[in-house]
Amino acid sequence: MSKEELIKLFDKHKEDISKYEKNKKRIREIDNTINKIKNRSETKITTSYKEIPNGKTNIISNTIENCIEKKEEEIKELEEEKVKLEAENIILKSRIEDVEIVLKALKFKERTVIYEHYIEGNSYEDIGNRIYWKIFGQTRDGQTIKRIADEAMKKMTKL
């Protein structure tokens, strides 16, 4: 994988995770809605005992048939949306896993620098002063952090 491809993956990582979770939530909502539609009974539809003019004896069955068709149409639309979301989630999950795999190849310090710079968007100076201080109780200048990041990128491009 080239450095440019890695940077693109890292740039979109947080968006991918958010979109993946949003799609999972929508899929659960669709499943719940489909179950509600399947369990819904039309209480409005009852037999009526009125005199029907000649030629129109199938009024009751048409009403029931229309309700059943409407239910099936709603379920079909929801299932189509669900299939699209699941297909999109497969792609998103693959990209999320790609990022996790390349980050696993790094040591803690390298992984932290790469994550903070490319995924969180912090500058090398900020990482050296703020993040490095929190973790190690020391500060580093931006060039040192950049060197760590460059070495980590070399490792990841070899994978």
Side-chain angles (χ1 to χ4, degrees):
M1 196 176 290
S2 71
K3 184 175 179 178
E4 291 78 21
E5 291 172 332
L6 283 172
I7 291 172
K8 284 181 185 177
L9 269 179
F10 292 147
D11 283 341
K12 294 199 175 262
H13 184 66
K14 288 188 123 186
E15 293 172 29
D16 289 345
I17 291 173
S18 296
K19 190 155 182 103
Y20 178 75
E21 293 299 325
K22 181 180 174 189
N23 287 351
K24 278 179 37 179
K25 180 181 178 206
R26 180 64 184 142
I27 289 169
R28 285 192 304 271
E29 289 172 355
I30 289 172
D31 287 337
N32 289 337
T33 305
I34 289 172
N35 287 335
K36 287 178 185 175
I37 290 171
K38 286 180 179 177
N39 294 332
R40 181 175 65 200
S41 63
E42 300 295 332
T43 56
K44 297 180 269 185
I45 302 171
T46 58
T47 56
S48 90
Y49 297 103
K50 64 180 181 179
E51 198 169 312
I52 301 171
N54 290 337
K56 296 185 179 183
T57 57
N58 61 348
I59 291 175
I60 296 171
S61 65
N62 277 345
T63 308
I64 294 172
E65 190 175 292
N66 289 342
C67 287
I68 291 172
E69 287 175 358
K70 183 180 174 186
K71 274 183 175 181
E72 289 174 355
E73 184 69 28
E74 287 176 27
I75 290 172
K76 183 180 175 187
E77 289 173 7
L78 289 170
E79 285 177 346
E80 287 173 0
E81 181 183 355
K82 181 180 172 181
V83 167
K84 288 178 186 176
L85 290 173
E86 287 173 339
E88 184 179 8
N89 265 8
I90 290 170
I91 296 167
L92 291 171
K93 183 143 179 79
S94 174
R95 289 199 306 232
I96 291 167
E97 288 174 349
D98 287 346
V99 170
E100 291 171 356
I101 289 169
V102 294
L103 288 176
K104 283 180 182 178
L106 303 175
K107 295 178 183 172
F108 175 74
K109 187 187 308 183
E110 296 167 330
R111 183 176 33 246
T112 303
V113 169
I114 293 295
Y115 185 83
E116 289 296 329
H117 182 69
Y118 290 104
I119 296 175
E120 292 294 331
N122 294 319
S123 68
Y124 292 127
E125 289 78 19
D126 186 40
I127 295 169
N129 291 330
R130 189 174 53 83
I131 307 298
Y132 207 87
W133 175 261
K134 279 183 185 176
I135 297 171
F136 301 108
Q138 303 170 352
T139 59
R140 296 287 185 261
D141 66 338
Q143 289 300 320
T144 304
I145 299 298
K146 183 173 181 356
R147 197 171 334 114
I148 293 170
D150 290 341
E151 290 172 13
M153 288 301 273
K154 285 178 188 175
K155 279 185 184 179
M156 289 186 291
T157 54
K158 289 179 184 177
L159 295 178

